[in-house]
Amino acid sequence: MPTLATIVFSNSLILGRIITHLDQKALAQLCLVGKQTWQLAVLRLWDRPVLRTIEQFERFSRTVGTALPFELRNYQRYGDLPRELDLSMLARRWDKLGYDLLAPVFKHCLRMYDIDMNLCQALHSDQFERLFADNPHIGKSLGYLNISETFFSATSIVSVLNMLPKLRYLLVSETETDDSVLETISQSLPNLISLQIDRCELVSDVGIKVLADGCPDLKCLTAKECWGILDTELVDKINAGNGWEDLDDSQDYDSYGHSNSEDNEDEGEGEDDANDFILEYLEEFSMASNLPGFHVQRNR
């Protein structure tokens, strides 16, 4: 009579449902069991990488260009797997996270629709533009972008927004955003439904009016402490009747229908250890082919 373990591991449907309840460390360990469990666990593990330290990001940046060891749908590299790049919890991103670390991620992560670069102040305006200009695939899928509390010039922000026609959510609070940025939004972002421009002191009534006239689908606009906006009724007009609460950095909402609050909850004290575990494993795996149960060649 087959054991329970045999039944579970022979049924991909059952195993797949179990995997949805596993934490990061369990998923990382499951990747080491064998081909079948790797194929199921690696998708969830890499969908939204949790990166808390610069050392973790360095390993992540080195790994995204590595070829996958087995056939996995139409994916070729680890960089094909992430859908989100959330840097909002990355310590020292304000002075340690520069272009050289970000460039491989933008190059190899081909299906990202959510990028949070809040407080990435070590990145210069020209480098910010290059990340998107050199990787046009980003603009084909990106629906959410947060560049709040960065030092990018209004000219650079305009240049990047012109490359992101599918953007739906944009957060540019405490940046050099001015009326030229709002004009670009009204002309180039037809799908935008939510915009946050809190404490953007260069924005004026002129830009808000252009925004209201050019973005009929815009449902949520927050413009707190924007002292250049004198006619607050313009902001109220955009928000009228949308039924949404003010958007802030901690709100659990999602651009594409999945819950940030459920999947991004802390996994406990061992979460950082789990991230180190899987990233160290992947880095070693990309350099050596003698790990038990794995082979570098891509086989079915």
Side-chain angles (χ1 to χ4, degrees), residues 12 16 38 47 56 95 131 167-168 181 189 193 207 215 245 248 276:
S12 59
W38 176 88
D47 187 54
Q56 289 175 351
D95 63 347
L131 286 175
L167 209 59
R168 300 178 65 197
V181 174
L189 303 182
I193 62 175
C215 295
E245 297 178 356
D248 59 45
D276 287 334

CSV table of all heavy atoms in Angstrom, one decimal, residues 12 16 38 47 56 95 131 167-168 181 189 193 207 215 245 248 276:
chain,number,residue,atom,x,y,z
A,12,SER,N,0.9,16.0,-8.5
A,12,SER,CA,1.3,17.4,-8.6
A,12,SER,C,0.3,18.4,-8.2
A,12,SER,O,0.6,19.5,-7.7
A,12,SER,CB,1.8,17.7,-10.1
A,12,SER,OG,0.7,17.5,-11.0
A,16,GLY,N,1.1,20.8,-5.3
A,16,GLY,CA,1.1,22.2,-5.6
A,16,GLY,C,0.3,23.0,-4.6
A,16,GLY,O,0.6,24.2,-4.3
A,38,TRP,N,11.3,20.9,-7.3
A,38,TRP,CA,11.9,22.1,-7.7
A,38,TRP,C,11.1,22.9,-8.7
A,38,TRP,O,10.9,24.1,-8.6
A,38,TRP,CB,13.3,21.8,-8.4
A,38,TRP,CG,14.0,23.0,-9.0
A,38,TRP,CD1,14.8,23.8,-8.3
A,38,TRP,CD2,13.9,23.5,-10.3
A,38,TRP,NE1,15.3,24.8,-9.1
A,38,TRP,CE2,14.7,24.6,-10.4
A,38,TRP,CE3,13.1,23.1,-11.4
A,38,TRP,CZ2,14.8,25.4,-11.5
A,38,TRP,CZ3,13.2,23.8,-12.6
A,38,TRP,CH2,14.1,25.0,-12.6
A,47,ASP,N,8.9,34.3,-7.4
A,47,ASP,CA,7.9,35.2,-7.9
A,47,ASP,C,8.0,36.6,-7.3
A,47,ASP,O,8.0,37.6,-8.0
A,47,ASP,CB,6.5,34.6,-7.5
A,47,ASP,CG,5.4,35.5,-8.2
A,47,ASP,OD1,5.4,35.6,-9.4
A,47,ASP,OD2,4.5,35.9,-7.5
A,56,GLN,N,22.4,40.1,0.1
A,56,GLN,CA,21.3,39.3,-0.5
A,56,GLN,C,21.1,39.8,-1.9
A,56,GLN,O,21.0,39.0,-2.9
A,56,GLN,CB,20.0,39.3,0.3
A,56,GLN,CG,20.1,38.6,1.6
A,56,GLN,CD,18.8,38.7,2.4
A,56,GLN,OE1,17.9,39.5,2.1
A,56,GLN,NE2,18.7,37.9,3.4
A,95,ASP,N,22.3,54.3,-0.1
A,95,ASP,CA,23.7,54.7,-0.3
A,95,ASP,C,24.6,53.5,-0.9
A,95,ASP,O,25.7,53.8,-1.3
A,95,ASP,CB,24.4,55.2,0.9
A,95,ASP,CG,24.5,54.2,2.0
A,95,ASP,OD1,23.8,53.2,2.0
A,95,ASP,OD2,25.2,54.5,3.0
A,131,LEU,N,18.7,52.4,-17.2
A,131,LEU,CA,18.1,51.1,-16.8
A,131,LEU,C,16.9,50.7,-17.7
A,131,LEU,O,16.7,49.6,-18.0
A,131,LEU,CB,17.7,51.2,-15.3
A,131,LEU,CG,18.8,51.1,-14.3
A,131,LEU,CD1,18.2,51.3,-12.9
A,131,LEU,CD2,19.6,49.8,-14.3
A,167,LEU,N,1.8,51.5,-17.6
A,167,LEU,CA,1.8,51.8,-16.2
A,167,LEU,C,0.4,52.2,-15.7
A,167,LEU,O,-0.3,53.0,-16.3
A,167,LEU,CB,2.8,53.0,-16.0
A,167,LEU,CG,3.5,53.1,-14.6
A,167,LEU,CD1,4.3,51.8,-14.4
A,167,LEU,CD2,4.3,54.3,-14.5
A,168,ARG,N,0.1,51.6,-14.6
A,168,ARG,CA,-1.3,51.8,-14.0
A,168,ARG,C,-1.2,52.5,-12.6
A,168,ARG,O,-2.1,53.2,-12.2
A,168,ARG,CB,-2.0,50.5,-13.8
A,168,ARG,CG,-2.3,49.8,-15.1
A,168,ARG,CD,-3.0,48.5,-14.9
A,168,ARG,NE,-4.3,48.7,-14.3
A,168,ARG,CZ,-5.0,47.7,-13.7
A,168,ARG,NH1,-4.5,46.5,-13.5
A,168,ARG,NH2,-6.2,48.0,-13.2
A,181,VAL,N,6.2,66.7,-15.7
A,181,VAL,CA,6.0,65.3,-15.5
A,181,VAL,C,4.5,65.0,-15.6
A,181,VAL,O,4.1,64.0,-16.2
A,181,VAL,CB,6.5,64.9,-14.1
A,181,VAL,CG1,6.1,63.5,-13.8
A,181,VAL,CG2,8.0,65.1,-14.1
A,189,LEU,N,0.5,58.0,-20.5
A,189,LEU,CA,0.1,56.9,-19.7
A,189,LEU,C,-1.4,56.8,-19.7
A,189,LEU,O,-2.1,57.2,-18.7
A,189,LEU,CB,0.6,57.2,-18.2
A,189,LEU,CG,2.1,57.3,-18.1
A,189,LEU,CD1,2.5,57.5,-16.6
A,189,LEU,CD2,2.9,56.2,-18.7
A,193,ILE,N,-4.3,54.7,-13.3
A,193,ILE,CA,-5.5,54.8,-12.5
A,193,ILE,C,-5.2,55.4,-11.1
A,193,ILE,O,-6.1,55.7,-10.3
A,193,ILE,CB,-6.3,53.5,-12.4
A,193,ILE,CG1,-5.5,52.4,-11.7
A,193,ILE,CG2,-6.8,53.0,-13.7
A,193,ILE,CD1,-6.2,51.1,-11.4
A,207,GLY,N,-0.4,72.0,-13.8
A,207,GLY,CA,-0.2,70.5,-14.0
A,207,GLY,C,-1.4,69.7,-13.6
A,207,GLY,O,-1.7,68.7,-14.3
A,215,CYS,N,-6.3,62.5,-18.3
A,215,CYS,CA,-6.3,61.1,-17.8
A,215,CYS,C,-7.7,60.8,-17.3
A,215,CYS,O,-8.0,60.8,-16.0
A,215,CYS,CB,-5.3,61.0,-16.6
A,215,CYS,SG,-3.6,61.2,-17.1
A,245,GLU,N,-9.9,55.0,-0.4
A,245,GLU,CA,-9.2,55.8,0.6
A,245,GLU,C,-7.9,56.3,0.1
A,245,GLU,O,-7.4,55.9,-1.0
A,245,GLU,CB,-8.9,54.9,1.8
A,245,GLU,CG,-10.1,54.3,2.5
A,245,GLU,CD,-9.8,53.4,3.7
A,245,GLU,OE1,-8.6,53.2,3.9
A,245,GLU,OE2,-10.7,53.0,4.4
A,248,ASP,N,-1.5,55.3,0.5
A,248,ASP,CA,-0.2,55.6,1.1
A,248,ASP,C,0.7,54.4,1.0
A,248,ASP,O,0.4,53.4,0.4
A,248,ASP,CB,-0.4,55.9,2.6
A,248,ASP,CG,-1.1,54.8,3.4
A,248,ASP,OD1,-0.7,53.6,3.2
A,248,ASP,OD2,-2.0,55.1,4.2
A,276,ASP,N,19.1,33.9,2.6
A,276,ASP,CA,20.6,33.7,2.4
A,276,ASP,C,20.8,32.2,2.0
A,276,ASP,O,21.6,32.0,1.1
A,276,ASP,CB,21.3,33.9,3.8
A,276,ASP,CG,21.4,35.4,4.1
A,276,ASP,OD1,21.4,36.2,3.2
A,276,ASP,OD2,21.5,35.7,5.3
